[in-house]
């Protein structure tokens, strides 16, 4: 029997369950859009007559605006109202997706992808901050964050699966069209399930200069990382882009320290374990998202898989991540998030290292599935536990900012991982071709080297994970009191 002073569980109510389902649908939609087009790229290239340099912007365009504008989206959610920002972002993705499906030239398609990224940058931090401020009780918040983290990890694999099924079924345009009805359902559900929060008072005005510096720096960083494999890491263009991004971000930090109303109050990093959780997320995402990129290329370019077969190959990955996420949520309520983060990151990395042994004449059951399943177990664990740890101790008025920081780390990590590992793979393949190795063998050697380094990068995330909050999902305001101060501001 519940004691008179015990707060009833909101998640146990029908409205609570529907609210969680709505918010996780938003997360799934935004994360899926980052990978759902990948398998369809060869068909898009043929039908629209795009060269390789232009084609990369079908994926990179989304990443550029999504990663670059995430902090702005999170801050707007805190200042202008989370429901308003969530509605605006959802509307933008609905329209941009319809335009992308109708596009008959590369410029319109890339423009639609850029707009999708802007919409996602508004939607995601707003949705996660709604979640963390709605489910406040210990067990409710633990469960809600666990389901959210599982949805995020699941979407990365499910995007490739859905992209393959849609591209070879009704056609590549449905990779875009499918978003619009989902967005309309989300828009219909938001007024019924999400309270209309009042606009928070902006004292002293909005930090426009800091916004320009931070957003410009992040977008230039993502752009530089995306273009680095094309130009070369030592090329003057790459150095200028990355140097310019560094200068803008340094100026941004200086401005935030001095501003009365900063875009990112630096005091948020005094929450112990927050910076470590973000760095862990960045590192693990760098290895994991690059793995999806290279394994998909291997399946299609070396093993000759079609779009549908390559997509279906990820179905066990999606299922395993979902199961691992659920089990991990129960585990860290007993042992804390830190051991689950450390173990999950290590297992993710070891699974990717296993995949680095793929041969040119490999088979799915012998050479792909085992490593993918191991990686999936670790990914389900680390995404769930790290999402909970990153929100431990965050006050309600900074929930949107904390959500934006975590998801910015994931997007920057993905861009960094793919850029660096593509350069490694290309360098290895070029050297093997120069030595007279057959093209498929040389290509596989490049994938092997990239996957090995990517796996080791993910394992390194386990080391950073030692400094994350050791939360059990209850009393999160005090959950980080025992953390080392290495990452504290």
């Amino acid at each position: 029997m519940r004691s008179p002073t015990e707060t009833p569980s909101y998640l146990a109510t029908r409205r609570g369950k529907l609210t969680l389902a709505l918010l996780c649908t938003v997360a799934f939609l935004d994360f899926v859009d980052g990978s759902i087009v990948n398998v369809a790229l060869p068909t898009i290239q043929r039908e629209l007559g795009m060269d390789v340099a232009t084609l990369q912007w079908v994926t990179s365009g989304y990443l550029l605006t999504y990663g670059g504008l995430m902090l702005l989206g999170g801050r707007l959610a805190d200042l202008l109202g989370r429901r308003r920002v969530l509605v605006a972002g959802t509307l933008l993705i609905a329209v941009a997706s319809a335009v992308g499906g109708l596009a008959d030239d590369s410029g319109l398609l890339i423009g639609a992808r850029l707009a999708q990224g802007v919409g996602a940058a508004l939607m995601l931090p707003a949705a996660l901050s709604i979640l963390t401020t709605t489910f406040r009780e210990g067990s409710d918040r633990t469960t809600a964050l666990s389901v959210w983290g599982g949805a995020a990890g699941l979407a990365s694999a499910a995007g490739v699966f859905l992209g393959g099924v849609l591209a070879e079924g009704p056609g590549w345009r449905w990779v875009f069209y499918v978003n619009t009805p989902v967005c309309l359902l989300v828009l219909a559900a938001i007024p019924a399930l999400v309270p209309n929060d009042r606009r928070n008072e902006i004292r002293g005005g909005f930090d426009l200069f800091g916004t320009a510096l931070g957003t410009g720096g992040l977008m230039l960083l993502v752009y530089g990382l995306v273009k680095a494999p094309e130009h070369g890491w030592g090329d003057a263009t790459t150095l200028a882009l990355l140097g310019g991004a560094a200068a803008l971000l340094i100026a941004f930090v200086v401005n935030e320290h001095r501003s009365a109303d900063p875009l990112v109050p630096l005091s948020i990093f005094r929450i112990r374990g927050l910076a470590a959780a973000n760095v862990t997320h960045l590192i693990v995402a760098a290895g994991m998202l690059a793995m999806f990129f290279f394994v998909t290329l291997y399946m299609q370019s070396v093993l000759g898989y079609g779009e549908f077969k390559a997509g279906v190959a990820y179905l066990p990955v999606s299922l395993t991540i979902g199961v691992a996420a659920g089990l991990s949520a129960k585990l860290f309520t007993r042992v804390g998030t830190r051991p689950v983060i450390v173990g999950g990151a290590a297992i993710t990395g070891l699974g990717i290292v296993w995949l680095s042994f793929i041969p040119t004449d490999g088979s799915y059951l012998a050479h792909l599935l085992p490593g993918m399943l191991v990686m999936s177990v670790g990914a389900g664990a680390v995404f769930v536990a790290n999402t909970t740890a990153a929100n431990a101790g965050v006050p309600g008025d900074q929930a949107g900012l904390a959500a934006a920081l975590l998801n910015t780390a994931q997007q920057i990590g993905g861009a960094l991982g793919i850029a660096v590992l593509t350069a490694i793979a290309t360098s290895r393949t070029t050297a093997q071709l120069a030595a007279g190795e057959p093209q498929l063998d040389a290509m596989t050697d490049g994938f092997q080297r990239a996957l090995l380094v990517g796996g080791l990068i993910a394992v390194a995330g386990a080391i950073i994970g030692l400094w994350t909050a050791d939360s059990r999902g209850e009393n999160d305001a005090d959950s980080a009191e025992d953390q080392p101060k290495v990452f504290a501001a």
Side-chain angles (χ1 to χ4, degrees), residues 200-430:
N200 294 326
E201 181 183 357
I202 305 177
R203 299 176 182 176
F206 191 65
D207 181 17
L208 293 176
F209 184 59
T211 299
L213 289 173
T215 301
L218 285 174
M219 293 186 73
L220 194 59
L221 174 62
V222 174
Y223 181 77
L225 291 173
V226 167
K227 299 294 286 184
E230 178 184 337
H231 294 297
W233 287 92
D235 184 80
T237 301
T238 301
L239 295 176
L241 289 171
L242 297 181
L248 286 174
L249 292 174
I250 290 171
F252 170 70
V253 172
V254 173
N255 179 79
E256 299 307 279
H257 181 70
R258 296 176 177 176
S259 176
D261 300 286
L263 176 67
V264 179
L266 299 182
S267 59
I268 195 172
F269 292 107
R270 296 191 185 123
I271 299 172
R272 297 179 181 179
L274 177 66
N278 281 278
V279 174
T280 301
H281 221 63
L282 184 150
I283 291 175
V284 175
M288 177 182 168
L289 298 181
M291 182 279 300
F292 286 120
F293 178 77
F294 289 109
V295 168
T296 302
L297 284 177
Y298 170 75
M299 286 192 287
Q300 292 187 286
S301 302
V302 178
L303 300 185
Y305 284 18
E307 295 165 333
F308 180 78
K309 189 174 181 180
V312 171
Y314 284 101
L315 185 57
V317 175
S318 302
L319 295 174
T320 304
I321 288 176
V323 172
L327 294 176
S328 299
K330 296 180 180 179
L331 179 61
F332 74 66
T333 57
R334 298 183 179 183
V335 303
T337 51
R338 191 187 300 150
V340 179
I341 292 169
V342 172
I347 292 170
T348 300
L350 291 175
I352 298 172
V353 169
W354 191 334
L355 287 167
S356 71
F357 292 99
I358 49 175
T360 305
D361 58 348
S363 71
Y364 177 71
L365 291 178
H367 302 105
L368 286 175
L369 186 60
M372 290 167 72
L373 291 179
V374 171
M375 180 280 304
S376 303
V377 171
V382 72
F383 270 91
V384 167
N386 202 56
T387 300
T388 299
N391 286 278
V394 176
D397 62 349
Q398 292 185 324
L401 175 58
L405 286 169
L406 184 68
N407 289 292
T408 297
Q410 179 169 326
Q411 298 308 313
I412 296 296
L416 180 62
I418 292 173
V420 171
L421 297 178
T422 295
I424 291 173
T426 301
S427 175
R428 176 66 175 173
T429 296
T430 301

Side-chain angles (χ1 to χ4, degrees), residues 145-202:
L145 285 171
S146 299
V147 176
W148 172 283
L154 180 64
S156 299
V160 186
F161 165 69
L162 293 172
V165 172
L166 291 170
E168 198 158 314
W172 69 264
R173 295 182 184 278
W174 281 92
V175 169
F176 296 93
Y177 286 147
V178 71
N179 284 343
T180 301
V182 176
C183 287
L184 294 177
L185 289 174
V186 169
L187 287 169
I190 288 173
L193 296 173
V194 181
N196 188 14
D197 50 338
R198 292 183 177 181
R199 169 177 167 171
N200 294 326
E201 181 183 357
I202 305 177

